Amino acid sequence: CTPGDKNQPTSNLPLRAGKGFPYEGGIREPLIVKAPGVTKPGSTCDVPVVTMDFFPTLLNLAGAPKEAARTACDGVDLTPLLAGTGTIARDSLAWHYPHYWHGTLVSPYSAIRSGNWKLVHWYEKEAWELYDLAADPGETSDLAAQQPAKLAELKVKLEAWLKETGAQAPILKQ
């Protein structure tokens, strides 16, 4: 799927693709949080977060005891980011989509973002794509062939995350 493709279900140009895709146009969403006594009006933060972070964050903001977050195995508390007092202990975010959507437009994939790098694995084609989001936020230049060490590093991280989370293997169409 390329930027401006008329067949995609949504478009978030200049980011690539839209809803359902592992590209930034499909997973990057603005987040606005108002937490009285924690956030400052007009403040911003560029640290990527994911919806699984909401649960431990809301528990903390509600004053729940620390042990209440024991079931929040995938998320981290965002309060230090919201308050502007610190960062979070996470070096990557991962996504796993083991099924088809919108006919066959979106096929099974997994992706991982580590720092400014993103690796996308398309199961059906057994293809790997690598992007430097700092230099190429629209994901127009696949660097997999030019950056084999970074590709290998992120493959190991993604495969470890899939194993750790017990991710379901996709059932590919025949």
Side-chain angles (χ1 to χ4, degrees):
C1 191
T2 57
D5 184 342
K6 301 274 190 266
N7 293 318
Q8 60 189 29
T10 59
S11 174
N12 292 316
L13 290 173
L15 301 177
R16 182 175 179 181
K19 183 176 181 164
F21 286 92
Y23 303 114
E24 292 298 284
I27 59 175
R28 184 184 288 196
E29 299 286 333
L31 174 63
I32 300 171
V33 177
K34 179 180 179 181
V38 179
T39 56
K40 294 182 178 121
S43 61
T44 62
C45 177
D46 294 329
V47 176
V49 300
V50 68
T51 55
M52 283 74 77
D53 297 334
F54 296 171
F55 183 60
T57 304
L58 292 171
L59 286 172
N60 183 39
L61 293 175
K66 293 288 183 205
E67 61 272 9
R70 70 188 175 284
T71 59
C73 57
D74 290 340
V76 297
D77 179 8
L78 301 176
T79 305
L81 296 176
L82 298 175
T85 59
T87 189
I88 54 176
R90 175 173 49 218
D91 71 342
S92 60
L93 291 174
W95 298 265
H96 181 59
Y97 197 85
H99 42 268
Y100 294 85
W101 179 71
H102 197 64
T104 58
L105 185 61
V106 180
S107 62
Y109 66 79
S110 294
I112 190 164
R113 177 180 175 160
S114 184
N116 288 321
W117 290 94
K118 186 196 294 175
L119 179 70
V120 179
H121 178 209
W122 292 101
Y123 290 93
E124 208 172 50
K125 299 181 281 186
E126 195 49 46
W128 296 86
E129 300 172 4
L130 180 68
Y131 300 97
D132 177 355
L133 298 176
D136 180 22
E139 296 164 293
T140 59
S141 297
D142 179 2
L143 301 174
Q146 293 95 330
Q147 297 281 342
K150 184 56 74 173
L151 176 73
E153 172 192 331
L154 292 181
K155 270 186 179 182
V156 168
K157 278 187 174 187
L158 179 59
E159 289 166 354
W161 178 81
L162 291 167
K163 183 177 180 180
E164 176 188 323
T165 59
Q168 175 185 344
I171 299 172
L172 302 177
K173 290 185 176 183
Q174 299 298 326

